Amino acid sequence: MEKRKVIMRYSLLLVTLVMLLGCREADRADMLIKNGTIIDGTGNASYFADVAIRGDSILDIGASLSEKYSYNNEINANGFIICPGFIDPHTHALSDLLSDDKHSNLNYLTQGVTTVFVGNDGDGPYRINQVTENLTDSIGTNVAFLIGHGTVREAVMGMKNESPTQGELNQMKALVKLGMEEGAFGLSSGLFYAPGSFSTTEEVIALAEEVAKFSGIYDTHLRDESSYSIGLLKAVEEAIRIGEEANVAVNLAHIKALGVDVWGMSDEIIEMVEDANDRGIRTTADQYPWSASGTHLENALLNKWVMADGEEAYMNRLNDPALAKQIRSEIKENLRKRGGAESILITADSKDERLIGSNLQEIADSTNEHPVDVALDIIRNGGCRIASFNMNQSDIENFMVQPWVMTSSDGTNGHPRKYASFPQKYQKYVVERELLTIEEFVHRSTGLTAQSMGISKRGTLKVGNKADIIMWKPDGFKPKADFQNPARYSEGIHYLIINGEIVIQDESYNQKLAGQVLLKQSENIE
């Protein structure tokens, strides 16, 4: 009997000790953010609260959490906006993230971006596992992948300007399926660019059907954002048709009305998208807040037949006297669509660096050449990146206020959108023009993006979500990059936390690489 009492006493003591340790664990936080204004990413009104973080996740949100938890690190957020880290659904950041110096993506971090999508415009990899091997534990932002239709097509068919055989189509479908199995979030297309421009709608539908099996998204650079081929409205119709027939969600990449021939068409496009959503075809768009697009000079001015069949055939056509009249005529017409030679600014990647910062008309005037000849000389010499000033402000604003339009950068070298799109949108369209409320701006940069692109546990401040959090002051978040100085870091992000780790503190980057590779299948298992 006495032995039994001793055993019971020790058992009770052990249970009590376990309970006490459990209580201590439950009452512990790694970090407490106090006294801030919460904008949670849902679009709801802001409110005052504290945020407790444990590990890589949000432990609690509420008032006076310092009375509820012990904690190791405290941030006083008085005067700050506390919101989810921004998610950029359209970047070209993969080469930076794969660079030898293990690029931090600092141009995105200083905009408040904690997650980037890569593989847009049809350029994404389909062997996701091979790429992610080089990214684990070495990236500044989180990264999510889209499979590139152009990459898949070129792997199977090269640059052929023809429809695939059934065997080739089956090979492409298998590659898309592989990419989705390895964690891609969807399929991107660049139907304006070769080789995507050589594909039929039916080809893309067949590939998008593979994405639908994984509840992924079809993200498309439209076949025509202007009047190059089928026209802007027909291109939007094509994208919606692909979504409907493949039973897949659609995102219209960097939505715009590009060029004088299509200015004012935003109302019709909005009506088409809203009709699609009413019919159950989930359709969204992303948009960068600039009146100039960015691309390569050859993509802007050459019709796609010139680029078919590989590099050698492409250069032969450019130098063929029998084709010179047609090519020159098409370049002249494409310059007209984009607003003339003065609207084409050379921004980067020119072998003659003296051209950078000048527009085609200025170069033509200085060399006594026709702008078409200047363009052809540059293209034959390796091309360059350009900023093309081709958008109408009323269309930009018309798209921006739509509740299904997200913030994006489409960041490329030589264009300030790579360094400043999110603060540019905030300053110009929230602060100056009052087109959006601050809550709408945050929602279109966080929660809407996460929901539209299929990311779980990010994009909103919610207990259990990942601790991707930024803190900034409403009067201090500003772009510094412009078209004369496109590579200046933005200012005003005082704190940036990724997966529970502080990466920017007091506006200074601490060299920490806290980003993770996000894979759709694992991200959405709960």
Side-chain angles (χ1 to χ4, degrees):
M1 177 67 72
E2 188 64 31
K3 184 176 181 181
R4 180 182 294 178
K5 288 181 178 179
V6 170
I7 292 173
M8 290 178 65
R9 189 178 301 117
Y10 276 108
S11 297
L12 181 61
L13 181 62
L14 182 60
V15 170
T16 302
L17 182 61
V18 169
M19 290 178 64
L20 286 172
L21 289 174
C23 289
R24 288 177 182 174
E25 177 64 22
D27 293 342
R28 184 190 62 79
D30 293 323
M31 189 186 310
L32 188 65
I33 304 170
K34 297 174 59 178
N35 306 320
T37 300
I38 303 286
I39 300 180
D40 64 9
T42 65
N44 293 334
S46 63
Y47 60 95
F48 293 98
D50 302 340
V51 179
I53 297 171
R54 182 191 292 161
D56 65 355
S57 300
I58 297 172
L59 174 64
D60 202 353
I61 301 173
S64 304
L65 294 187
S66 60
E67 300 173 7
K68 186 176 180 180
Y69 299 100
S70 62
Y71 46 90
N72 301 325
N73 190 11
E74 176 184 310
I75 298 175
N76 185 355
N78 184 35
F80 288 99
I81 299 295
I82 305 172
C83 74
F86 300 147
I87 302 172
D88 192 333
H90 192 117
T91 80
H92 296 276
L94 183 56
S95 59
D96 288 339
L97 291 171
L98 289 171
S99 62
D100 291 338
D101 63 353
K102 299 186 184 304
H103 200 283
S104 65
N105 246 6
L106 188 57
N107 57 296
Y108 283 107
L109 295 176
T110 51
Q111 295 182 66
V113 174
T114 54
T115 298
V116 298
F117 272 79
V118 297
N120 303 81
D121 293 341
D123 288 337
Y126 55 85
R127 296 304 307 269
I128 307 301
N129 288 346
Q130 288 184 356
V131 179
T132 58
E133 287 177 3
N134 298 314
L135 293 176
T136 306
D137 299 324
S138 65
I139 50 176
T141 60
N142 300 316
V143 61
F145 289 88
L146 296 170
I147 304 160
H149 166 242
T151 306
V152 168
R153 194 178 211 275
E154 188 169 358
V156 174
M157 298 181 62
M159 295 294 287
K160 290 190 292 188
N161 185 3
E162 58 188 50
S163 295
T165 65
Q166 188 59 51
E168 289 170 332
L169 183 61
N170 289 340
Q171 289 180 61
M172 287 193 279
K173 290 169 67 175
L175 294 182
V176 172
K177 180 182 179 184
L178 174 64
M180 294 304 295
E181 288 174 339
E182 294 188 351
F185 281 76
L187 176 72
S188 81
S189 70
L191 301 185
F192 176 70
Y193 303 115
S197 57
F198 305 144
S199 63
T200 63
T201 308
E202 289 73 21
E203 174 189 318
V204 182
I205 290 170
L207 301 183
E209 286 175 340
E210 296 299 316
V211 172
K213 297 173 184 177
F214 295 83
S215 301
I217 191 166
Y218 171 63
D219 179 88
T220 180
H221 183 306
L222 296 171
R223 193 178 294 274
D224 195 349
E225 296 176 322
S226 184
S227 55
Y228 278 90
S229 56
I230 64 173
L232 175 57
L233 298 182
K234 289 291 185 182
V236 174
E237 285 180 7
E238 179 186 40
I240 293 171
R241 177 191 164 194
I242 291 167
E244 182 172 28
E245 296 193 21
N247 193 28
V248 69
V250 176
N251 183 63
L252 309 178
H254 41 55
I255 193 168
K256 65 174 74 71
L258 187 158
V260 295
D261 293 346
V262 296
W263 284 355
M265 288 187 179
S266 55
D267 283 332
E268 293 171 84
I269 295 169
I270 291 165
E271 185 177 346
M272 293 165 66
V273 171
E274 292 181 343
D275 176 69
N277 280 308
D278 289 343
R279 291 187 288 121
I281 309 161
R282 186 160 67 84
T283 308
T284 56
D286 64 79
Q287 179 193 38
Y288 50 79
W290 308 91
S291 60
S293 62
T295 188
H296 289 92
L297 182 64
E298 57 269 31
N299 289 329
L301 298 185
L302 291 179
N303 286 3
K304 298 304 172 283
W305 65 269
V306 183
M307 302 178 184
D309 306 317
E311 185 69 19
E312 183 178 355
Y314 167 41
M315 295 308 298
N316 286 340
R317 291 189 187 101
L318 284 179
N319 294 302
D320 186 344
L323 298 175
K325 183 177 180 180
Q326 180 181 353
I327 291 174
R328 283 179 54 83
S329 175
E330 290 174 352
I331 291 176
K332 186 176 180 180
E333 170 62 7
N334 292 335
L335 276 173
R336 182 198 65 79
K337 291 173 184 175
R338 288 178 175 262
E342 64 274 9
S343 72
I344 305 295
L345 178 70
I346 312 300
T347 60
D349 300 341
S350 171
K351 289 186 178 179
D352 186 348
E353 294 186 357
R354 294 172 300 176
L355 303 182
I356 295 175
S358 298
N359 65 51
L360 277 184
Q361 189 62 57
E362 290 171 337
I363 298 168
D365 291 342
S366 68
T367 58
N368 294 315
E369 294 181 274
H370 194 282
V372 171
D373 295 315
V374 172
L376 277 169
D377 287 344
I378 294 172
I379 291 169
R380 291 191 185 106
N381 198 35
C384 65
R385 292 205 65 88
I386 64 167
S388 171
F389 292 83
N390 52 49
M391 284 173 258
N392 179 284
Q393 188 63 32
S394 62
D395 286 323
I396 294 172
E397 296 186 4
N398 204 9
F399 286 130
M400 188 170 291
V401 298
Q402 302 309 314
W404 37 265
V405 174
M406 302 169 265
T407 313
S408 68
S409 69
D410 191 16
T412 50
N413 292 335
H415 195 300
R417 64 189 184 182
K418 183 174 179 177
Y419 282 75
S421 285
F422 288 78
Q424 169 76 4
K425 181 171 180 176
Y426 172 72
Q427 279 295 329
K428 186 167 183 176
Y429 296 103
V430 178
V431 176
E432 296 174 15
R433 302 183 72 86
E434 298 183 344
L435 203 65
L436 300 171
T437 68
I438 192 169
E439 289 88 355
E440 289 171 333
F441 163 72
V442 170
H443 173 60
R444 285 155 165 76
S445 306
T446 56
L448 176 63
T449 314
Q451 179 184 19
S452 300
M453 303 301 289
I455 295 181
S456 64
K457 299 289 184 180
R458 302 179 198 270
T460 55
L461 296 186
K462 178 183 176 183
V463 173
N465 276 9
K466 298 299 182 182
D468 291 352
I469 298 172
I470 59 174
M471 283 162 271
W472 48 285
K473 292 186 176 180
D475 59 352
F477 185 41
K478 297 177 181 179
K480 301 298 289 183
D482 54 30
F483 288 99
Q484 288 70 45
N485 301 282
R488 287 180 174 174
Y489 295 119
S490 297
E491 64 180 17
I493 298 296
H494 285 257
Y495 287 86
L496 183 142
I497 299 167
I498 299 181
N499 298 307
E501 297 190 58
I502 296 175
V503 174
I504 291 178
Q505 183 170 357
D506 298 324
E507 292 196 79
S508 295
Y509 172 55
N510 63 13
Q511 308 297 317
K512 187 166 290 186
L513 299 172
Q516 297 177 357
V517 174
L518 308 185
L519 302 175
K520 181 174 175 60
Q521 299 312 309
S522 58
E523 275 287 299
N524 291 279
I525 293 175
E526 288 295 339

